[in-house]
Structure formats: structure tokens, C-alpha cells
Amino acid sequence: LPPWEMPSLLRSVDVLFHVEADLPFPMFSNLVVEALFCGTIVISDQEDLVIRYQNYGLDLSRWLPLVLCVDKDNPKGAAEKIKDFLVNHVIPLDQQVPGEFEQYISAHEGMFRKYIK
């Protein structure tokens, strides 16, 4: 899928599940940031998801209403939490902020530059 088609794809889904707790290494996923900037809910198994992105210079606090973190070791509790979130949670409209998108692009470019050199 070409990168320029990602926003419309992400806007067409209700939820992005971001599961990375069992990976053998820490991961930076631009998909999480793109999903949030498109107004897509992100459900993660990482309690510190937003804090970890702050380490890359991205302030995702504006998108906290779109983020739900669940405990992968408690599937029943996670299922209840997800159901409650999706049924009862009101997602604010207009989550896209151009300045924060530029921060995202800069952080992403910085990651590439760091590893290309």
C-alpha cells in the first residue's frame, strides 16, 4: 500500500490493535501515530505507550481519548475493558493537529537519519 493511501485506510477502520509486548526488542511503530492522527482508536498491550512516544519527541496527550491500554495477561479483563471502551466511550471529533503532525514527521525522519548514517 503506498504511503499516501494510509490515511484513508486508517480512517476506514474502527480500531487498530497494536500488540508488541512479546517482541524481543522495543519497537517504534509509525502506524500508531498515523492511526491516532487519522482519528482511529488504538488498543495496545503497552501501558506506557504514550510515554514511550514522548521519548521520540512526540506529545500524544491530545489523543489520549483514542488510546486504550489493556493487560494481555488478563484476557477476560481486557475483553471487558475493550467492550466498555467501545460501547461507552465518546471519542472527540477533530483529533488532527498539523503542528503535532510535523513533530511526528521530524521524529520519523530523525530515526531514519540515525540509522542510515
Side-chain angles (χ1 to χ4, degrees):
L1 184 69
W4 55 87
E5 292 182 14
M6 283 304 293
S8 50
L9 172 68
L10 289 168
R11 286 185 179 112
S12 73
V13 300
D14 295 324
V15 177
L16 172 74
F17 284 90
H18 177 69
V19 182
E20 64 173 308
D22 292 331
L23 291 176
F25 49 84
M27 181 179 156
F28 175 89
S29 174
N30 62 336
L31 192 56
V32 169
V33 180
E34 286 181 284
L36 292 174
F37 286 0
C38 289
T40 303
I41 293 171
V42 173
I43 296 177
S44 176
D45 63 346
Q46 297 295 300
E47 290 291 329
D48 64 344
L49 181 73
V50 172
I51 293 168
R52 289 179 33 232
Y53 280 90
Q54 286 176 341
N55 294 334
Y56 293 107
L58 298 169
D59 180 8
L60 300 181
S61 58
R62 175 178 167 80
W63 285 272
L64 284 177
L66 295 174
V67 176
L68 175 66
C69 298
V70 297
D71 181 1
K72 73 170 187 66
D73 295 325
N74 180 2
K76 184 176 180 181
E80 290 173 10
K81 194 173 178 182
I82 291 169
K83 180 181 176 185
D84 181 61
F85 183 82
L86 296 176
V87 170
N88 298 315
H89 195 67
V90 176
I91 304 298
L93 301 174
D94 187 24
Q95 293 292 327
Q96 196 167 2
V97 176
E100 288 165 338
F101 185 73
E102 291 301 321
Q103 288 176 1
Y104 157 71
I105 295 295
S106 296
H108 201 70
E109 289 172 342
M111 290 276 299
F112 280 118
R113 285 189 195 107
K114 178 180 174 181
Y115 290 104
I116 290 173
K117 290 183 180 182

